[in-house]
Amino acid sequence: MRRRIGAQRLSVWGAMRIEAITLRKLRMRLRAPFEASFGTTWERILVLVEVSADGLSGWGEVTAPEGPFYNPETVGTSWHITRDFLVPLFLGNRIGSACEIPALFSPIRGHEMARAAAENAVWDIEAQQKKLPLWKLLGGEHAEIPCGVSLGIQSSPEVLLEKIAQELAAGYQRIKIKIKPGKDLDYASAVRKAHPDTMLSVDANSAYTLADTGHLKRLDDLNLLMIEQPLWWDDILSHAKLQKRLRTAICLDESIRHVRDAAAAIELGACRIINVKLGRVGGHSSGRAIQEYCGAKKIPVWCGGMLETGIGRAHNVALSTLPGFTLPGDVSASRRYWDEDIIDPPIEVTPRGTIVVSQKPGIGYSVRRDLIERLTIEKESWRAQ
Ligand code: OSB
Ligand code: MG
């Protein structure tokens, strides 16, 4: 049954009313500190968004870190934007599909990570309503996804080699190491020497400038799969200049916020691979659009990570099943990050270095409410009239 409301067509039986929204701030200790060029993370303060509609609960995770050192968003800005701007835009609304959320949120400029968590929670609800796993609702094709790991900067190449041996023994298909000036060539060459055939990449998180071009060219000898975001986080043009001088493929992470950035990067020749992160691009609709665009341009994509809990991780798994996600992502087992994850079961990786995708409705994992309540340090809820 369909009904016309103004210019919008709503399918009435499928419609959902956004009845309540809850924001929670959690504190969770990582099993091991994670060092990137922008700093070290020992514990995460993170925001979860729970949306209630038609008796169902959907969950999304804000991937913004505590400080604006990866991109401009933070835990604090995401709380402010969600509470003061997103909640009023969708609380009490009746929508036919999560596909309508980007249009509702379109007055908000930037703040992709805040928007992503709210939109993704609605995707979770829609999938549950339709009794489908989220990955199938999104149009996913692979029921098993290839996995890689991202290793933080270590105190020495020897320590890094030990960690890599463990990850390869666990089955992971691709190793990515974080680099920064002074901790780059020695580390990457040691890994390449020990593992001549392993899929290997490096991630600089914007630690270099074009003046380092000569230095970065030395990475060309290491047969790397890619070098991720070597230059300024918001500078596509400089990456195009660098890519012309490197044989190794550049992969953009920080610089890609939506499909228009992806189009600019590809047309300028700024990268040959794109890392899609749900938070950074504003949610599943945008992630899917980037994936489709890159597919048409024959640019491989893969799913990045932001040290997520199981909720963000489950959304990453769903995204990774889409066509075009051909390279192993930074989507790895819950136990690499947490003693106890907030979903049940935790996400596990097979000895072949894959995740077998859940066939259950929604994000495919149960959310451990009791544990979430115990980890919550701040909470705010809104209910529609
Ligand atoms: O650049 O991919 C990145 C973690 C935090 C912020 C940025 C990045 C990362 C990672 C880790 O590389 C990915 C993960 O294991 O979740
Ligand atoms: Mg990165």
Side-chain angles (χ1 to χ4, degrees):
M1 179 172 48
R2 306 206 99 166
R3 181 167 55 137
R4 240 176 205 292
I5 299 177
Q8 263 185 314
R9 280 184 140 252
L10 289 183
S11 111
V12 170
W13 58 270
M16 60 174 114
R17 180 165 188 260
I18 309 296
E19 282 146 9
I21 301 164
T22 300
L23 277 185
R24 289 183 181 82
K25 192 182 289 176
L26 275 65
R27 181 198 300 273
M28 285 176 74
R29 179 151 282 276
L30 284 168
R31 286 191 55 199
F34 186 85
E35 183 180 347
S37 64
F38 54 77
T40 304
T41 310
W42 283 268
E43 67 169 15
R44 297 288 331 277
I45 307 284
L46 62 106
V47 176
L48 296 179
V49 180
E50 180 186 4
V51 175
S52 310
D54 299 340
L56 297 167
S57 249
W59 293 81
E61 176 170 344
V62 178
T63 63
E66 298 69 46
F69 312 120
Y70 162 80
N71 76 350
E73 291 188 78
T74 71
V75 168
T77 65
S78 71
W79 191 281
H80 160 56
I81 293 295
T82 308
R83 180 188 60 192
D84 296 336
F85 298 101
L86 299 181
V87 167
L89 284 175
F90 80 126
L91 181 65
N93 272 46
R94 202 171 279 285
I95 56 173
S97 158
C99 295
E100 295 166 26
I101 293 286
L104 283 179
F105 289 174
S106 65
I108 310 298
R109 298 185 178 183
H111 300 286
E112 288 80 9
M113 289 171 163
R115 285 190 275 132
E119 183 190 319
N120 292 351
V122 178
W123 277 104
D124 180 17
I125 295 179
E126 183 177 343
Q128 293 175 57
Q129 242 184 6
K130 295 182 170 161
K131 301 194 163 47
L132 280 174
L134 173 59
W135 66 277
K136 285 204 175 150
L137 177 63
L138 291 169
E141 289 182 349
H142 328 291
E144 187 169 350
I145 58 162
C147 306
V149 288
S150 170
L151 288 161
I153 296 168
Q154 305 295 323
S155 54
S156 70
E158 293 70 40
V159 174
L160 176 61
L161 286 179
E162 253 170 61
K163 303 240 148 147
I164 289 176
Q166 284 167 22
E167 304 293 6
L168 291 175
Y172 286 102
Q173 300 184 17
R174 187 228 59 204
I175 300 292
K176 156 173 144 185
I177 65 168
K178 294 292 201 181
I179 57 168
K180 66 178 181 184
K183 291 205 162 193
D184 44 20
L185 288 171
D186 294 354
Y187 285 71
S189 342
V191 179
R192 181 43 90 215
K193 202 165 155 217
H195 303 285
D197 301 320
T198 298
M199 254 196 268
L200 175 65
S201 62
V202 296
D203 185 357
N205 290 108
S206 305
Y208 300 90
T209 73
L210 273 178
D212 299 310
T213 301
H215 181 71
L216 292 170
K217 273 164 81 82
R218 295 174 63 195
L219 291 168
D220 272 344
D221 298 332
L222 299 179
N223 185 28
L224 300 177
L225 183 62
M226 68 189 90
I227 167 165
E228 192 177 332
Q229 197 75 34
L231 308 177
W232 300 274
W233 70 277
D234 59 350
D235 189 343
I236 291 174
L237 182 60
S238 291
H239 282 96
K241 291 181 180 167
L242 180 64
Q243 181 68 90
K244 282 195 182 69
R245 310 209 31 214
L246 289 183
R247 261 186 292 125
T248 311
I250 291 179
C251 168
L252 289 180
D253 172 354
E254 280 88 331
S255 292
I256 308 296
R257 298 160 301 174
H258 36 60
V259 71
R260 300 178 306 286
D261 281 338
I266 294 169
E267 283 203 18
L268 281 169
C271 62
R272 298 206 286 262
I273 300 175
I274 286 181
N275 168 335
V276 183
K277 285 183 183 167
L278 278 173
R280 194 193 67 233
V281 306
H284 280 298
S285 301
S286 171
R288 208 159 60 163
I290 294 174
Q291 174 273 138
E292 269 173 37
Y293 183 86
C294 290
K297 300 283 178 186
K298 307 258 183 304
I299 295 285
V301 297
W302 55 281
C303 179
M306 292 293 293
L307 312 175
E308 287 92 344
T309 75
I311 290 176
R313 199 166 295 280
H315 280 284
N316 289 345
V317 170
L319 174 76
S320 304
T321 65
L322 295 178
F325 282 78
T326 47
L327 295 168
D330 282 347
V331 186
S332 55
S334 295
R335 70 158 161 281
R336 293 190 61 250
Y337 307 82
W338 318 109
D339 283 327
E340 255 195 310
D341 203 345
I342 58 176
I343 55 164
D344 186 52
I347 290 177
E348 288 182 344
V349 167
T350 67
R352 7 177 228 289
T354 61
I355 291 171
V356 177
V357 180
S358 169
Q359 299 291 340
K360 297 194 184 114
I363 61 171
Y365 298 83
S366 3
V367 169
R368 296 177 63 184
R369 278 182 184 279
D370 293 356
L371 179 56
I372 289 177
E373 288 303 329
R374 269 190 278 137
L375 297 168
T376 296
I377 54 177
E378 198 176 335
K379 181 171 167 178
E380 206 170 341
S381 295
W382 300 267
R383 185 159 280 287
Q385 298 301 311

